[in-house]
């Protein structure tokens, strides 16, 4: 296992300063860059652990606090383990913050995150990969479609509302995408029902995007997050295998 170094970094954006977590192999050398987009619960130990695992596989991983406009992390008073009984209270805090982050803001911020990676001596030259979880899957799809020259691959896991009838639905950027995509949908996920899964698949196919969309049987929304009651070990390991396979083909 590669030794990993994790540090806190700040990223200057057009709208302020985003705090972030950076994980990379502890060898001082540049490695392929990965931008990891958070779920709704935000930048916390669970996501740092996931970034460390990716870094141990040979990547430099940046996890920005996409809610930075509302403050530095930790933004929310989260329990060590997030179960269903705690979620109404937690989402009372998270809901307004999520609602304030528009698609326009997100893609503007993405440009700053990508630029930071491009300028870091710890990141190899060339395009980077993206991976996103829950709301982060939306951000990964939007970023891939907005900055096609900077993104070689993008993955999304238990993403919600990826293909809706709204004018800012992420699937509408498919025609701009040059990256290879992978989506691991949760089987038990009301935020990404079969009709949205079909629309996403059809749209990506029609646009000629290299992609694979798979449904993880029995998995719930949030299945990769070990600090929640949605965690599914089998589905999570399948996610790691799919993500690392995508990255191996990319770099």
């Amino acid at each position: 296992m590669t030794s990993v170094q994790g540090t806190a970094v700040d990223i200057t954006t057009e709208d302020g300063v985003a705090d972030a977590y950076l994980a990379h192999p502890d060898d001082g050398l540049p490695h392929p860059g990965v931008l990891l987009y958070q779920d709704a619960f935000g930048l916390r130990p669970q996501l740092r652990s996931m970034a460390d695992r990716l870094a141990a596989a040979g990547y430099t991983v940046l996890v920005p606090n996409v809610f930075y406009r509302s403050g530095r992390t930790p933004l929310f008073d989260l329990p060590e383990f997030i179960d269903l009984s705690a979620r109404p209270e937690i989402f009372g805090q998270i809901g307004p913050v999520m609602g304030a982050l528009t698609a326009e803001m997100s893609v503007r911020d993405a440009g700053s995150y990508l630029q930071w990676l491009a300028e870091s001596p710890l990141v190899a030259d060339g395009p980077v990969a993206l991976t996103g979880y829950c709301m982060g899957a939306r951000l990964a799809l939007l970023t891939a479609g907005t900055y096609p020259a900077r993104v070689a691959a993008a993955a999304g896991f238990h993403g919600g509302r990826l293909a809706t009838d709204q004018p800012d639905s992420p699937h509408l950027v498919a025609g701009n995408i040059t990256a290879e995509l992978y989506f691991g949908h949760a089987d038990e996920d009301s935020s990404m029902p079969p009709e949205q899964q079909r629309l996403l698949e059809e749209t990506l196919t029609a646009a000629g995007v290299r992609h694979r969309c798979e449904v993880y049987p029995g998995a719930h929304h949030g299945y990769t997050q070990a600090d929640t009651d949605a965690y599914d070990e089998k589905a999570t390991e399948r996610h790691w295998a799919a993500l690392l396979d995508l990255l191996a083909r990319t770099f």
Side-chain angles (χ1 to χ4, degrees), residues 33 62 111-128 150:
L62 180 68
S112 298
Y113 305 148
L114 294 172
Q115 186 62 33
W116 192 94
L117 286 167
E119 294 174 354
S120 171
L122 295 170
V123 179
D125 292 340
V128 303
R150 293 289 303 125

Side-chain angles (χ1 to χ4, degrees), residues 38 60 87 156 216 244:
Q38 65 176 61
T60 296
R87 290 184 184 228
Y216 289 22
L244 291 172

Side-chain angles (χ1 to χ4, degrees), residues 37 103-104 106-111 114 130 138-151 170 172-178:
Y37 278 125
E104 181 181 1
S106 297
V107 297
R108 189 162 66 239
D109 290 343
L114 294 172
L130 318 171
R138 287 174 51 88
L139 302 182
L141 184 52
L142 286 169
T143 301
T146 307
Y147 302 95
R150 293 289 303 125
V151 178
L172 297 176
V173 303
N176 299 328
I177 294 174
T178 57

Side-chain angles (χ1 to χ4, degrees), residues 120-188:
S120 171
L122 295 170
V123 179
D125 292 340
V128 303
L130 318 171
T131 184
Y133 301 87
C134 301
M135 62 169 281
R138 287 174 51 88
L139 302 182
L141 184 52
L142 286 169
T143 301
T146 307
Y147 302 95
R150 293 289 303 125
V151 178
F157 299 93
H158 46 82
R161 299 181 58 78
L162 299 179
T164 73
D165 59 1
Q166 297 301 305
D168 62 350
S169 178
H171 80 289
L172 297 176
V173 303
N176 299 328
I177 294 174
T178 57
E180 180 178 352
L181 305 186
Y182 177 90
F183 291 98
H185 302 307
D187 187 27
E188 306 290 334

Side-chain angles (χ1 to χ4, degrees), residues 15 36 84 158 161 170 186 209 217 232 239:
D15 297 336
L36 191 159
L84 190 61
H158 46 82
R161 299 181 58 78
V209 177
D232 183 316
H239 133 270

Side-chain angles (χ1 to χ4, degrees), residues 3 13 59 68 102 104 136 140 143 156 164 176 180 186 193-194 204-205 230 245:
S3 178
T13 74
Y59 302 99
Y68 71 88
T102 65
E104 181 181 1
T143 301
T164 73
N176 299 328
E180 180 178 352
L204 294 175
T205 299
D245 181 61

Side-chain angles (χ1 to χ4, degrees), residues 22-244:
L22 182 73
H24 57 89
D26 191 16
D27 58 11
L29 300 175
H31 293 270
V34 178
L35 175 57
L36 191 159
Y37 278 125
Q38 65 176 61
D39 63 355
F41 297 124
L43 179 53
R44 63 195 192 282
Q46 166 63 22
L47 292 186
R48 294 184 181 94
S49 175
M50 295 178 75
D52 288 349
R53 181 164 173 175
L54 268 182
Y59 302 99
T60 296
V61 186
L62 180 68
V63 192
N65 165 27
V66 303
F67 295 149
Y68 71 88
R69 291 176 181 82
S70 297
R72 298 177 70 87
T73 53
L75 274 175
F76 312 119
D77 184 19
L78 299 175
E80 288 188 14
F81 184 78
I82 303 166
D83 61 25
L84 190 61
S85 64
R87 290 184 184 228
E89 179 181 344
I90 293 171
F91 274 97
Q93 304 174 53
I94 294 175
V97 176
M98 285 184 65
L101 181 64
T102 65
E104 181 181 1
M105 290 176 180
S106 297
V107 297
R108 189 162 66 239
D109 290 343
S112 298
Y113 305 148
L114 294 172
Q115 186 62 33
W116 192 94
L117 286 167
E119 294 174 354
S120 171
L122 295 170
V123 179
D125 292 340
V128 303
L130 318 171
T131 184
Y133 301 87
C134 301
M135 62 169 281
R138 287 174 51 88
L139 302 182
L141 184 52
L142 286 169
T143 301
T146 307
Y147 302 95
R150 293 289 303 125
V151 178
F157 299 93
H158 46 82
R161 299 181 58 78
L162 299 179
T164 73
D165 59 1
Q166 297 301 305
D168 62 350
S169 178
H171 80 289
L172 297 176
V173 303
N176 299 328
I177 294 174
T178 57
E180 180 178 352
L181 305 186
Y182 177 90
F183 291 98
H185 302 307
D187 187 27
E188 306 290 334
D189 190 350
S190 60
S191 71
M192 193 64 189
E195 57 269 23
Q196 285 197 43
Q197 295 176 22
R198 286 193 297 271
L199 179 56
L200 178 63
E201 174 75 37
E202 291 166 358
T203 303
L204 294 175
T205 299
V209 177
R210 294 168 296 151
H211 72 281
R212 180 182 300 173
C213 298
E214 297 182 323
V215 178
Y216 289 22
H220 292 265
H221 184 80
Y223 62 76
T224 62
Q225 302 303 302
D227 60 349
T228 78
D229 57 359
Y231 179 66
D232 183 316
E233 183 177 5
K234 182 178 179 181
T236 297
E237 290 308 309
R238 180 178 175 182
H239 133 270
W240 281 117
L243 177 57
L244 291 172

